[in-house]
Amino acid sequence: MHTVVVGTSGVTASDVLAVARGGARIELSGEAVAALAAARGIVDALAAKPEPVYGVSTGFGALATRHIGQELRAQLQRNIVRSHAAGLGPRVEREVVRALMFLRLKTVCSGHTGVRPEVAQTMADVLNAGITPVVHEYGSLGCSGDLAPLSHCALTLMGEGEAEGPDGVVRGAGELLAEAGIKPVELKEKEGLALLNGTDGMLGMLVMALADLDMLYKSADVTAALSLEALLGTDKVLAPELHAIRPHPGQGASAANMLAVLKGSELTGHHQDDAPRVQDAYSVRCAPQVAGAGRDTIAHARLVAERELASAVDNPVVLHDGRVESNGNFHGAPVAYVLDFLAIAVADLASIAERRTDRLLDKNRSHGLPPFLADDAGVDSGLMIAQYTQAALVSEMKRLAVPASADSIPSSAMQEDHVSMGWSAARKLRTAVDNLSRVVAIELYAATRAVQLREGLTPAPASQAVIEAVRAAGVEGPGPDRFLAPDLAAADAFVRDGQVVAAVETVTGPLR
């Protein structure tokens, strides 16, 4: 099994994916263990002094003015975890919780939190044992970090609350730890606070969304090319020299992908046939510009994610010169903004894909295709309601594109009077990404049927490879009406699993 070694300098996106989705094992580096011990020594020294230090010998948030005696500090750390584990709503997905815990461990191992090495090791042990704390949908304002979700994870480390075992059954955390031979932690000064104060949930969801969108944007380039082909459009608008004079890198990459898919097609460039036209509609002609702008947004979001993956997010932080200082690095604004930016880009990509699908089904705009791509229009409805489903998905995505990060609800008796709502931005982006896969799948379903209905004209080799692969996956081609939902679900699985891109790349080589 793949092993991820956590050091003091952060982790990579591939590390997060390996742990969250691939079940990779985790080890702490010797450097990390030494840094943990050194930072803990600083905290212990401050804890022994009579002067109050925030997070070490005081209360938290609006209660930070109270000095806490040594006899109550262990109780203080337990209490912050118990009281902050206040989430409600549906359970969060296993991969999100694993990413959340792993990224908190990343910050702990930086040597800036003051957590003992044994606590960090317990975090790794819980992940390695396949134990997943029950975390709920609601409870995070994205400042101070993802407090409630992280508290539910910390509760598991204490042997309290509920968690999912490696068998997928939810049981008491203490029972699961005992079965795995893991001793619950007894938190000391600052440790409860350090386990809760981070952007780890929203960051984990950002990293996974970026991985999914990398594949979905390539898939959308393919389906846009198939729609262009089915509509007898021109591929001249994809010429590299046209995109070079507007040098947005994402636009150039999308145009290059579409051009590669269409190479060798007999369907493109029929603008002067029976239905002459000077230009294709915007949804066809401007596909690279819209998809390209989304790609460039993804590139910016990836830069933000990389910076956050290299960060130590906690409050207060332990500095190497021995100071323990309060700060605002837990504020989720940098991550929240790009999560919202991505939701906007994803909604627009879905919107333009739906417009192409609608054009394929409209006999007045499809340049000779049968109404709704039906076998016997009137007797058969064809893909009429498939487009309804696609439109409903797009409408939902437009609502999800309303930014969460533009909102702020003050909390903690106005001490935390401006919050990022980054967790909410991440949760809605996950829904938007799921819906994008479904929207692209419906365009794929319509476009492959339409290409096959162009009898007498041979599609591009790459297009043919997609058609053959999707048919082999159980998605049926043209014919009389049938129960459509299973076909659409199979098309969605085909897109979601990356099979669209894989089929094309057997002909084109790697897409950009």
Side-chain angles (χ1 to χ4, degrees):
M1 182 181 289
H2 179 59
T3 298
V4 172
V5 178
V6 183
T8 60
S9 57
V11 296
T12 66
S14 60
D15 291 335
V16 177
L17 295 170
V19 172
R21 291 179 167 173
R25 291 188 60 80
I26 301 162
E27 291 181 5
L28 308 186
S29 72
E31 176 192 30
V33 173
L36 285 159
R40 185 64 208 178
I42 294 171
V43 170
D44 286 341
L46 289 171
K49 292 183 177 182
E51 297 84 8
V53 177
Y54 175 69
V56 175
S57 52
T58 70
F60 311 112
L63 304 176
T65 55
R66 179 180 172 183
H67 181 257
I68 308 297
Q70 289 189 357
E71 73 282 0
L72 294 175
R73 290 177 190 171
Q75 181 181 339
L76 171 69
Q77 300 302 318
R78 287 195 301 272
N79 284 352
I80 189 176
V81 172
R82 290 168 175 166
S83 65
H84 285 45
L88 281 177
R91 283 180 58 195
V92 171
E93 303 85 356
R94 182 176 185 270
E95 66 177 15
V96 172
V97 180
R98 286 184 62 82
L100 172 75
M101 287 190 70
F102 175 65
L103 288 168
R104 182 75 320 222
L105 177 60
K106 173 267 296 184
T107 281
V108 165
C109 287
S110 70
H112 289 292
T113 67
V115 169
R116 288 168 294 151
E118 51 264 45
V119 176
Q121 185 60 56
T122 301
M123 296 172 76
D125 291 343
V126 168
L127 285 165
N128 290 341
I131 298 170
T132 307
V134 171
V135 173
H136 299 280
E137 182 89 18
Y138 302 105
S140 174
L141 301 180
C143 191
S144 305
D146 294 317
L147 285 174
L150 283 164
S151 297
H152 282 276
C153 294
L155 201 65
T156 295
L157 300 179
M158 292 165 51
E160 300 182 17
E162 290 186 322
E164 178 186 303
D167 58 358
V169 177
V170 174
R171 288 185 283 158
E175 180 183 349
L176 288 169
L177 293 186
E179 287 184 4
I182 300 171
K183 183 181 178 181
V185 298
E186 296 181 6
L187 299 176
K188 294 189 175 182
E189 291 94 342
K190 195 183 179 301
E191 290 182 331
L193 184 60
L195 294 176
L196 317 185
N197 240 327
T199 57
D200 308 294
M202 63 182 91
L203 176 59
M205 287 185 273
L206 172 60
V207 169
M208 289 185 281
L210 289 170
D212 294 339
L213 291 175
D214 181 62
M215 180 273 297
L216 285 172
Y217 266 74
K218 291 176 184 176
S219 300
D221 289 340
V222 174
T223 58
L226 285 165
S227 291
L228 183 152
E229 198 171 21
L231 290 167
L232 306 179
T234 178
D235 59 359
K236 290 182 178 180
V237 296
L238 305 173
E241 58 270 24
L242 295 177
H243 297 277
I245 60 176
R246 195 190 190 197
H248 294 286
Q251 176 181 323
S254 285
N257 285 345
M258 291 180 66
L259 200 58
V261 172
L262 294 170
K263 185 177 181 181
S265 175
E266 292 182 0
L267 279 76
T268 57
H270 292 267
H271 280 52
Q272 301 306 317
D273 291 354
D274 296 335
R277 59 194 187 278
V278 176
Q279 301 177 118
D280 292 316
Y282 281 15
S283 60
V284 177
R285 186 173 13 134
C286 301
Q289 285 77 9
V290 172
R295 283 169 168 267
D296 291 342
T297 302
I298 290 170
H300 172 61
R302 184 169 288 114
L303 176 62
V304 171
E306 288 169 354
R307 290 170 176 163
E308 198 74 359
L309 287 168
S311 300
V313 179
D314 192 16
N315 179 49
V317 292
V318 181
L319 299 176
H320 295 315
D321 61 9
R323 287 180 294 151
V324 175
E325 297 285 1
S326 292
N327 68 91
N329 284 345
F330 51 73
H331 199 288
V335 181
Y337 289 171
V338 294
L339 289 162
D340 280 333
F341 296 165
L342 289 173
I344 293 168
V346 163
D348 200 34
L349 184 65
S351 180
I352 197 170
E354 184 276 328
R355 287 294 80 206
R356 289 190 295 266
T357 304
D358 182 66
R359 185 166 288 272
L360 289 168
L361 306 189
D362 184 353
K363 69 181 182 64
N364 297 312
R365 295 180 290 142
S366 67
H367 309 289
L369 290 169
F372 302 105
L373 305 181
D375 186 63
D376 184 3
V379 174
D380 294 311
S381 294
L383 305 191
M384 179 190 297
I385 308 304
Q387 185 268 331
Y388 281 34
T389 299
Q390 193 184 41
L393 289 163
V394 171
S395 181
E396 171 72 4
M397 292 173 73
K398 290 176 180 178
R399 291 191 292 274
L400 293 169
V402 175
S405 58
D407 186 30
S408 176
I409 297 181
S411 58
S412 192
M414 292 300 287
Q415 176 71 4
E416 298 171 8
D417 59 353
H418 185 275
V419 297
S420 77
M421 303 306 299
W423 174 272
S424 298
R427 296 305 297 164
K428 68 186 183 64
L429 177 61
R430 282 181 71 82
T431 303
V433 171
D434 280 345
N435 284 351
L436 177 61
S437 176
R438 298 176 180 120
V439 168
V440 171
I442 293 172
E443 182 179 17
L444 173 73
Y445 190 67
T448 53
R449 177 184 283 213
V451 168
Q452 287 188 284
L453 289 171
R454 294 291 189 188
E455 296 179 356
L457 294 171
T458 303
S463 301
Q464 188 60 40
V466 174
I467 293 169
E468 291 173 0
V470 77
R471 299 291 173 257
V475 181
E476 296 188 34
D481 280 358
R482 55 184 171 270
F483 180 24
L484 207 54
D487 270 4
L488 298 181
D492 180 34
F494 189 79
V495 171
R496 199 175 296 269
D497 294 344
Q499 294 181 69
V500 173
V501 176
V504 163
E505 290 183 338
T506 61
V507 177
T508 63
L511 296 178
R512 294 170 58 180

